[in-house]
Amino acid sequence: MTRPFGCRLPSLLGFCLLLLALVLGLSGRGVAVEQDGESSRTIRVVMDNNYPPYIILDDTGTVQGILADQWRLWQERTGIRVQLTVMDWKDALDAMRAGRFDVIDTAFKTEERQGWLDYGAPHARIEVAAFFHKEISGIVDAASLKGFVVAVKEGDAAIDLLRSRGVDNLVLYKSYEAIIRAAKEHKVNVFVIDRPPALYFLHKYGIQQSFRSTSPFNVGEFHRAVGKGNTALLAEVEAGFARISPRELEQIDTKWYGTPLQDFVPPVWLTAGLGGLGLLTLALVAWNRGLRAAVRRRTAELERSREDLRESEARYRELVEQANSIILRMDHRGRIRFLNEFAQRFFDYSLDEVRGRNVVGTIVPETDSAGRDLAAMVADIGLHPERYTANTNENMRRDGSRVWISWTNKPLGESDDEAREILCVGNDITERMQ
């Protein structure tokens, strides 16, 4: 049905033209953009009927929004009457393709549409993202939607995009608003919608806290387009919009997107806020000075503790190096981490030679003289050192000579820690030649 908003028909001829449009049976809602003077021409423009804030229908069915205001200005600049019709997007595409309209707006470029449309310059960038219920995880882009039932709008360019990424389990709705209503009723949990109307309808239906979104995986652009080959009309449309200044377009956007709240802060609130900020600044300065003093004290304490630790470590190293016992530290896989000087002299290896090598094959033979599997024993010590607190086994020096050593083993670190080490102290050495 066609609904004029604020339309003044100056003559009977104008009324007849409007009546003729009704008789032609255009689906959707049409509006004759208001004009002040006579016009000998009318162009028929069709677009989506529910795409906030670009196109909005109020409770009376009146067409409003950014694009409605822009086309009003276009009519004023050109003197050409605009018959604006809005309908479900797929119906708009079908009607445009059938030649029932001269211009289609809010159209993304797709390979299929370029076969029957000629496009003007883009006039709005639109982010496209997937929205999903907050209990769902793992959705980050279009490809990750595979396996999910995904709601999309009929005729949406996103359909081709999703299918190109292997997402074909799609359920189609007439409009974005219908998708959000279905989401509120728990009929769909995943949907792909252009961001501006998605945010509008999620807040309108109060479910914005129940859904999350991916980062935009596509950025489309709104175009005005005409039937293939109708370049003269396209040039005329583009020239008309070129007569609208950027300032005027910005004013329209501000009208429908709104003004940030801080622009309306009363001066008395601003004064109070600045005063509070000053007091807060003074408090922060005082707190910062106190914090610096505390940091200096703590730094001094840590430096003293570090010095004490260095002295303690030095005493420990001196004790270990001067001990007349074998002191060995190995990891849980039996790899040598440390040998004290006594152990290096005893086994005739330097620390650099054995660090990182397994004790088996270095200072422990794979089997002892009685055939006992010492490799298995070392592996078990790594897993269960508490079973080998005291252990005596055969060892070997670099020259192959065998010795019996009584070991005291102590795990260092948690038992389930992959980085744990075992401290082994050897005494009661009994020489035994191979």
Side-chain angles (χ1 to χ4, degrees), residues 208-326:
Q208 71 276 9
Q209 298 299 328
S210 298
F211 285 84
R212 298 174 180 171
S213 75
T214 64
S215 298
F217 52 73
N218 184 44
V219 178
E221 295 174 319
F222 275 168
H223 297 263
R224 303 176 184 97
V226 300
K228 197 71 175 177
N230 197 354
T231 55
L233 176 59
L234 181 61
E236 191 172 38
V237 169
E238 294 292 284
F241 279 104
R243 297 179 187 177
I244 302 174
S245 70
R247 175 61 178 163
E248 289 171 315
L249 294 175
E250 182 182 350
Q251 289 174 340
I252 293 174
D253 285 348
T254 300
K255 171 184 174 181
W256 291 101
Y257 277 107
T259 303
L261 292 178
Q262 57 265 31
D263 290 352
F264 297 100
V265 175
V268 64
W269 291 11
L270 183 60
T271 302
L274 290 175
L277 182 60
L279 292 175
L280 178 61
T281 301
L282 292 175
L284 286 175
V285 169
W287 177 77
N288 187 49
R289 288 179 178 175
L291 181 62
R292 287 182 178 180
V295 168
R296 286 194 295 270
R297 289 194 299 271
R298 183 58 178 158
T299 301
E301 292 173 1
L302 289 174
E303 187 59 36
R304 287 194 295 271
S305 298
R306 189 180 296 112
E307 184 62 30
D308 292 343
L309 180 60
R310 282 196 291 265
E311 292 178 1
S312 176
E313 288 177 344
R315 289 194 297 269
Y316 172 76
R317 284 195 299 270
E318 183 179 359
L319 177 64
V320 168
E321 295 299 347
Q322 293 180 356
N324 290 320
S325 299
I326 298 171

Side-chain angles (χ1 to χ4, degrees), residues 163-235:
R163 286 176 175 165
S164 71
R165 307 287 173 85
V167 183
D168 52 13
N169 195 6
L170 306 178
V171 55
L172 306 182
Y173 287 82
K174 284 286 187 182
S175 67
Y176 288 146
E177 186 169 15
I179 293 175
I180 300 301
R181 284 199 301 264
K184 183 174 183 178
E185 296 167 1
H186 306 289
K187 294 179 181 178
V188 296
N189 291 315
V190 181
F191 45 89
V192 173
I193 295 183
D194 298 352
R195 270 193 179 276
L199 298 177
Y200 178 93
F201 289 124
L202 284 169
H203 282 271
K204 178 179 178 179
Y205 288 95
I207 58 173
Q208 71 276 9
Q209 298 299 328
S210 298
F211 285 84
R212 298 174 180 171
S213 75
T214 64
S215 298
F217 52 73
N218 184 44
V219 178
E221 295 174 319
F222 275 168
H223 297 263
R224 303 176 184 97
V226 300
K228 197 71 175 177
N230 197 354
T231 55
L233 176 59
L234 181 61

